[in-house]
Amino acid sequence: RSKDLGGGEHCEYEPSLHASAEERRQLEFSLRKALERDEMVLNFQPVVDAHREEIVSFEALLRWQSKDHGFVSPAKFIPLAEETRLIVPIGTWVLQQACIEAARWPSHIKVNINVSPEQLIEPDFAPTVVRALAQSGLEASRLEIEVTESIFMRDAQVAGAALEEVMALGCQVALDDFGTGYSSLGYLRKLRFSTIKVDRSFVQGAAQGSNESLAIIRAVVAMAESLEMSTTAEGVETSEEAAMIRSLGCNKIQGYYFGRPMTDVDARKLVEPKLPGTQISL
Ligand code: C2E
Ligand code: MG
Ligand code: MG
Ligand code: MG
């Protein structure tokens, strides 16, 4: 049937496009209710020191178990939350919950929290961070905000100013998924990032023998060192990859090899001091 027949037969045209728009509408409807329905939960993934192999931080990663749609991947709902600006209330919830959880860990363990550009350009961003810290009692120096290069695509001035505000509070800021965006290196001069996170694609590439990936990791590590920033390699899955990353001079490692994203209870168990008397007595 050709399109020019017209009349109420739209379902014949591009059915896949139509279905995905409808799916999106339903997903958005559910996402709007997700927080009040208690469907969101944070997982925590260890970040370890590359040499001592001890946990130095956990990255908070959002999970959505929807009553309507089942488990929905962040790769799907985060972009939708950004487009609809639902990421603003959701992101505030993430900040509050992650800080509350981190305050339970020993004080040398930090927390990494992902923040979207839409959150940063809200005038209320820095006050939201201040409130999350105050409510949880978490020291500002234990919070590292993660942003991607996409924050420099639009409203770079506003986003940069917001990051400077949270840095002035004593928080750190990491540049996530480094090397996968479009931006220039210019902003590395302007903002004092604490950490550059080398994207998993370079780690995978180098592990599969790509000299280009290897060269890029080397260059990023050298650049970070001279800028007095640290490096974290993302997506390290094997002991071989961990050894390679260590030999390249990355400071921190994150990936399935050292730990998958886990529940708050499991994360807590990994870092809580072993109390005398809690061992099984024979
Ligand atoms: P990201 O910030 O780069 O987080 C790392 C992603 O890599 C996580 O995916 C993590 O589960 C995954 N990962 C970690 N180690 C490995 C590994 O060894 N192998 C593989 N294959 N994957 C690994 P996840 O949890 O699906 O999150 C995807 C993205 O969604 C995150 O990427 C982040 O950009 C976004 N996201 C997650 N939680 C939040 C949040 O609370 N707020 C915002 N704004 N974005 C979030
Ligand atoms: Mg991240
Ligand atoms: Mg990342
Ligand atoms: Mg990533």
Side-chain angles (χ1 to χ4, degrees), residues 102-103 105-111 138-144:
W105 306 332
S107 59
H108 65 282
I109 311 277
K110 296 183 179 184
V111 64
L138 189 76
E139 258 182 72
S141 61
R142 293 179 61 195
L143 171 56
E144 186 168 58

Side-chain angles (χ1 to χ4, degrees), residues 59 114 146 176 197:
E59 179 173 1
N114 294 288
E146 295 195 6
D176 203 357
K197 297 189 80 169

Side-chain angles (χ1 to χ4, degrees), residues 119-122 125-126 156-167:
Q119 293 173 262
L120 277 185
I121 61 177
E122 279 286 301
F125 180 69
Q157 298 286 331
V158 178
L163 290 178
E164 276 169 355
E165 269 186 86
V166 294
M167 286 174 178

Side-chain angles (χ1 to χ4, degrees), residues 45 59-63 74 78 87 94 114-116 119 146 176-177 200 234-237 255-256 261:
Q45 185 181 31
E59 179 173 1
L61 293 162
L62 190 55
R63 297 291 176 258
I78 295 285
I87 195 67
V94 169
N114 294 288
V115 166
S116 296
Q119 293 173 262
E146 295 195 6
D176 203 357
D177 301 339
R200 171 170 172 262
E234 301 188 274
V236 172
E237 295 183 350
Y256 294 170

